[in-house]
Amino acid sequence: MTWASKPRAKELLVELNSGWTTDRDGDQSRDKMLARNRFLLLLGLGGAALAIISLSLQFLNLIPTTPIAEVPVFQGVVGGPGVPQGKSRKRVLPAPHSQKPDPLSEAFGYCNTPNRTEQAWEGHSPVDYKLLSVQVMIRHGDRYPLYSIPKTKRPAIDCTLSSKRNPSHPLMNAFISHMGQGGRGHWESPLGSVARLPNHGACEMGELTQTGIVQHLLNGQVLHQAYKHHNLLPSAWSPRQVWVETTGKSRTLQSGLALLYGFLPDFDWTKLTVRHQWSTLFCGSTCDCPARNKYLEEEQRRQYRLRVADTELERTYADMARTLGLPTRQLRAANPIDSLLCHLCHGLAFPCIPTGEGGVGGCLTTAQFSVIRRQQLGDEVDRRRAGLYHKYAILAMYPYLNRTASKMERVGKGSEAGKRPRSGGEEVFTLSSAHDVTMAPLLSALGLEEARFPRFAARVVFELWKSPPVTQGQSKKKPDKGDKSKAVGGELFIRVLYNGEDVTFHTTFCRPHDRHTGQPLCPLKNFLSFVKRDMFSVVNATSYQEACYKHPG
């Protein structure tokens, strides 16, 4: 919701008061002023009333049990050029019927510079509901480019960590020290040989930056604040209760460790096992799916056709190549947007070359950058229209979603009254540290097609909740004194959040759910039915096996 109406009401009241001091000339002027002030007062009160009504409607379906988690802006945390300071409530789903997105503004949002107060809705539910488990997928934090632009100097960024360099974080020194004890942890091969901290004075290609570490320390703090009142993890948590998995890239491993440290400061290494996912799709032993690969190939052909048909984009690449003295094909293959994004996110000037080095010389420009970003944003729209990527995403993310659903089922059954607890407890906190090529299909598979492309340090959170027990033969009211009727265990519900925003009722499986039936949360059974069968209807199948081995239609 927007609070725009509330400040406006205050402005109108200020105008009313100032009217009495600025217009004192005659009864006629006073009468006009009185009429004007009555109108402004009514308008102001109406604006305030609308704000109150809007707030009430929002909280009919979501009653916070704790304040919104906020992590303060830290002194010395700075942003790139053009990034506003203060609180961020940036939408993760664009407002309907809004203007076309500005490519530069979108790029700054993608940078996710840690210079703003972070607000989040994780950990919120109706009163007396119990949080049973949390499963988190993250994209790694800010990284050095994967590609370099030929004939230009690479961005000068230091990839060692220092609390004296911006952006920093109050936990930075303690985090660095704790990572030095990582040898006490348990590491699936080949993770034991991967650096636990970025450690190059001149960043290597794809290396996590200090900004990336700070982004995930902040993410971890947000989750710590959100869940600390729910007793999600006991102080003496067992190794079984925390599950951490990552791909083999140092940027995902280090991002996961930074978030975990923000969430569980000074965690016990001896209890932690870090598991390796060899595929960026986190598909484990069920990665083989020929139909998924065919959909991806068709999607890549669609992307190519759209790109070559964009004459403005082709002219822009030709202009950039002429400036640098390169063949256009070579420049395009170097994926210059990757390096330019790094310059933008770190407040560095775009690369230049002197005249006489094979090209006309000069600098690459923000106008050229904006053209490439504009084409990328247009491609996202066309991708949704074509639907090929969505079919790919359904098959790509089924294994991960199936594991997520199975864990929730297991935890839910373990919470039943009279059920003997599993030795060592259930997996109540799962962290999967991944890439944009993991999170983008996850969002699509969930039906969040309108969601922003995953920024650096993006997070998707799945929460499992249980309602209070209901007394048999009664509605969900408190029983009368002396009532000895049997109490029935509560129902299970799911919440899905993206970058702190509750997007549950934008998902395919919860979009049709009527929140005004007295139950403001989404039943877990909706999600389980979606994963086990319903999600495959998009590819005219009823199971993963059938969908993977039939020819895509």
Side-chain angles (χ1 to χ4, degrees):
M1 65 166 280
T2 175
W3 286 92
S5 52
K6 196 169 181 180
R8 181 60 186 145
K10 291 180 180 178
E11 291 171 15
L12 291 168
L13 291 172
V14 169
E15 289 179 23
L16 185 151
N17 291 328
S18 64
W20 286 104
T21 60
T22 58
D23 190 350
R24 298 173 181 267
D25 298 329
D27 292 338
Q28 188 175 7
S29 297
R30 186 181 297 271
D31 290 341
K32 288 180 180 178
M33 182 59 69
L34 281 169
R36 173 178 174 269
N37 287 344
R38 289 191 192 101
F39 172 74
L40 290 173
L41 179 60
L42 288 172
L43 189 60
L45 292 174
L50 284 173
I52 293 168
I53 291 169
S54 178
L55 181 63
S56 300
L57 287 174
Q58 180 176 348
F59 280 87
L60 279 174
N61 293 325
L62 187 65
I63 306 170
T65 56
T66 58
I68 294 176
E70 290 195 2
V71 175
V73 179
F74 298 116
Q75 186 174 3
V77 176
V78 296
V83 183
Q85 301 289 321
K87 291 185 178 180
S88 169
R89 290 293 289 150
K90 185 174 180 65
R91 288 176 179 267
V92 296
L93 294 166
H97 312 300
S98 61
Q99 295 180 344
K100 288 185 178 180
D102 173 62
L104 275 177
S105 297
E106 288 290 319
F108 282 124
Y110 175 87
C111 295
N112 190 20
T113 309
N115 67 339
R116 291 168 277 190
T117 300
E118 181 77 11
Q119 295 181 318
W121 285 98
E122 282 98 343
H124 290 255
S125 76
V127 176
D128 296 332
Y129 278 51
K130 180 175 175 58
L131 180 65
L132 298 183
S133 74
V134 172
Q135 300 185 57
V136 184
M137 176 178 278
I138 59 172
R139 184 193 175 189
H140 60 74
D142 177 81
R143 59 156 172 79
Y144 200 72
L146 297 171
Y147 306 87
S148 61
I149 301 175
K151 293 191 175 182
T152 66
K153 291 183 178 179
R154 290 171 49 183
I157 298 174
D158 187 343
C159 273
T160 58
L161 300 183
S162 170
S163 60
K164 297 179 180 179
R165 190 174 67 248
N166 293 327
S168 190
H169 190 284
L171 291 177
M172 180 65 75
N173 286 333
F175 169 70
I176 295 170
S177 175
H178 198 66
M179 291 303 104
Q181 304 169 32
R184 298 163 56 202
H186 307 281
W187 307 85
E188 279 191 1
S189 179
L191 299 178
S193 60
V194 178
R196 292 185 286 276
L197 294 172
N199 56 10
H200 294 93
C203 293
E204 294 191 342
M205 306 305 281
E207 188 170 9
L208 194 69
T209 65
Q210 175 157 316
T211 299
I213 290 290
V214 171
Q215 287 167 336
H216 278 302
L217 286 173
L218 287 169
N219 267 344
Q221 271 198 308
V222 166
L223 298 183
H224 176 82
Q225 292 295 326
Y227 299 132
K228 67 180 182 180
H229 300 293
H230 292 286
N231 299 317
L232 178 67
L233 278 172
S235 56
W237 54 273
S238 72
R240 187 190 291 276
Q241 290 176 305
V242 175
W243 178 284
V244 177
E245 58 185 2
T246 175
T247 64
K249 297 294 184 182
S250 61
R251 59 183 176 272
T252 53
L253 173 66
Q254 294 160 6
S255 293
L257 292 174
L259 185 145
L260 186 65
Y261 190 80
F263 179 61
L264 288 175
D266 299 320
F267 59 83
D268 186 345
W269 276 110
T270 63
K271 296 181 180 180
L272 184 68
T273 297
V274 183
R275 295 167 173 85
H276 177 236
Q277 282 285 348
W278 67 271
S279 168
T280 56
L281 297 179
F282 284 60
C283 46
S285 60
T286 54
C287 288
D288 186 46
C289 185
R292 180 197 67 219
N293 300 336
K294 288 183 180 293
Y295 284 128
L296 181 59
E297 290 166 6
E298 290 179 25
E299 163 63 14
Q300 290 168 340
R301 285 194 289 269
R302 180 206 61 79
Q303 287 180 351
Y304 176 76
R305 288 193 298 268
L306 189 69
R307 192 165 59 244
V308 297
D310 192 322
T311 55
E312 184 185 19
L313 180 68
E314 290 303 303
R315 282 197 306 269
T316 299
Y317 274 129
D319 290 343
M320 294 169 70
R322 192 178 306 112
T323 298
L324 301 176
L326 293 171
T328 304
R329 180 176 296 180
Q330 183 182 357
L331 176 67
R332 193 185 292 110
N335 194 20
I337 192 70
D338 186 49
S339 181
L340 294 179
L341 270 168
C342 180
H343 284 80
L344 189 81
C345 293
H346 288 264
L348 303 174
F350 280 1
C352 305
I353 67 165
T355 305
E357 292 194 6
V360 298
C363 301
L364 302 183
T365 68
T366 55
Q368 293 167 336
F369 172 87
S370 293
V371 169
I372 301 175
R373 283 294 292 172
R374 186 267 310 156
Q375 194 278 332
Q376 289 180 327
L377 294 170
D379 178 78
E380 290 180 22
V381 175
D382 192 69
R383 183 183 73 187
R384 293 193 290 269
R385 177 200 60 77
L388 291 167
Y389 186 82
H390 182 57
K391 292 178 179 179
Y392 158 77
I394 288 289
L395 299 182
M397 295 315 297
Y398 166 76
Y400 173 81
L401 288 172
N402 187 49
R403 283 196 300 130
T404 301
S406 297
K407 286 184 180 184
M408 286 184 166
E409 266 194 305
R410 203 160 52 239
V411 171
K413 289 178 180 176
S415 72
E416 292 174 1
K419 193 86 171 181
R420 185 174 181 179
R422 186 180 179 185
S423 176
E426 300 289 351
E427 295 161 17
V428 295
F429 183 77
T430 297
L431 174 61
S432 304
S433 188
H435 304 261
D436 55 355
V437 294
T438 321
M439 190 171 285
L442 174 61
L443 295 170
S444 179
L446 291 171
L448 302 172
E449 297 275 13
E450 300 292 331
R452 307 286 188 197
F453 186 82
R455 67 191 189 187
F456 285 131
R459 67 182 187 272
V460 174
V461 176
F462 298 87
E463 295 177 346
L464 178 63
W465 293 86
K466 188 172 186 177
S467 63
V470 178
T471 305
Q472 282 185 342
Q474 290 190 343
S475 61
K476 296 183 180 181
K477 296 179 181 178
K478 290 184 179 179
D480 296 330
K481 287 184 178 180
D483 190 339
K484 297 183 179 179
S485 53
K486 184 180 178 182
V488 179
E491 298 178 62
L492 300 174
F493 300 92
I494 183 174
R495 289 181 76 220
V496 183
L497 301 102
Y498 181 41
N499 293 335
E501 295 283 349
D502 187 340
V503 295
T504 311
F505 292 99
H506 293 280
T507 62
T508 302
F509 53 89
C510 280
R511 204 175 293 138
H513 179 67
D514 185 358
R515 286 177 283 177
H516 303 288
T517 57
Q519 183 41 259
L521 295 188
C522 178
L524 178 64
K525 62 183 180 182
N526 288 26
F527 179 58
L528 300 181
S529 176
F530 172 73
V531 173
K532 291 177 180 178
R533 183 184 177 93
D534 297 346
M535 66 188 295
F536 302 111
S537 63
V538 174
V539 291
N540 298 317
T542 57
S543 69
Y544 181 62
Q545 190 75 7
E546 180 189 356
C548 285
Y549 289 95
K550 63 181 284 187
H551 190 275

